[in-house]
Amino acid sequence: MSITLEEITSSNYEAVCDLDVTDEQQEYVASNMWSLVESHYCQGHTCRAIYQNDKPVGFFMWVSETPEKVSIWRFMVDQRFQKAGIGRAALNLALNEIKASDKVKEIEICYDPENPVAKDFYSSFGFQEVGLDEDGEDMLAIIKL
């Protein structure tokens, strides 16, 4: 299984927009189409398609909050490709790409605090919980570099 992160271009954006999570996951992730529009009009947003071999199977978006801090805002694997190790491989690739900037000192992600699978998954990459976000809804976790 070859997993890569690819630029989103005029030749693959429609396939990325067609990716979707399960009905139960809908409330936890924004649509890829919305994320691509947001990234087009906002500074510091980086989008990547997660590819398995030659096929887009997921999506990432991270945001440079400051030169030292990057926040992962979107991360999804299409429902047809979940539970196959793709998310783990893709997150590892994304973290390596983010860490390639010498300026970045902190990587942040947030997730539903009622989701123990997310906590275990992200902590296995070194994310440490730091508390709820300013709205008191999502758990914030960071990696300090």
Side-chain angles (χ1 to χ4, degrees):
M1 171 175 67
S2 174
I3 303 299
T4 58
L5 298 184
E6 304 292 335
E7 296 278 337
I8 298 173
T9 66
S10 61
S11 64
N12 67 359
Y13 80 92
E14 287 185 57
V16 170
C17 288
D18 287 341
L19 300 172
D20 211 355
V21 293
T22 66
D23 289 341
E24 297 78 30
Q25 297 167 325
Q26 290 290 329
E27 67 183 272
Y28 299 119
V29 63
S31 77
N32 295 345
M33 185 183 306
W34 170 253
S35 298
L36 288 173
V37 169
E38 184 177 18
S39 73
H40 180 77
Y41 290 102
C42 298
Q43 290 283 94
H45 291 56
T46 300
C47 294
R48 295 286 183 266
I50 302 168
Y51 270 70
Q52 180 181 34
N53 302 320
D54 296 338
K55 183 175 188 150
V57 297
F59 176 77
F60 261 111
M61 183 173 80
W62 57 83
V63 178
S64 295
E65 304 277 355
T66 70
E68 296 82 28
K69 180 181 175 185
V70 171
S71 295
I72 297 173
W73 280 17
R74 309 283 193 275
F75 173 29
M76 65 81 71
V77 174
D78 184 87
Q79 60 188 334
R80 298 166 293 168
F81 302 96
Q82 293 180 6
K83 300 186 182 187
I86 293 169
R88 181 167 293 282
L91 181 56
N92 192 50
L93 291 170
L95 291 173
N96 287 338
E97 186 173 336
I98 293 166
K99 290 175 183 177
S101 168
D102 293 338
K103 294 180 181 180
V104 175
K105 303 293 181 217
E106 183 177 300
I107 303 170
E108 178 183 77
I109 199 160
C110 64
Y111 50 88
D112 184 339
E114 301 293 317
N115 185 342
V117 173
K119 176 181 178 172
D120 292 344
F121 179 73
Y122 294 124
S123 69
S124 74
F125 286 89
F127 283 97
Q128 297 182 353
E129 292 184 341
V130 294
L132 296 176
D133 66 1
E134 59 191 35
D135 297 328
E137 294 177 4
D138 291 323
M139 179 59 66
L140 296 174
I142 62 168
I143 294 175
K144 293 243 185 216
L145 305 175

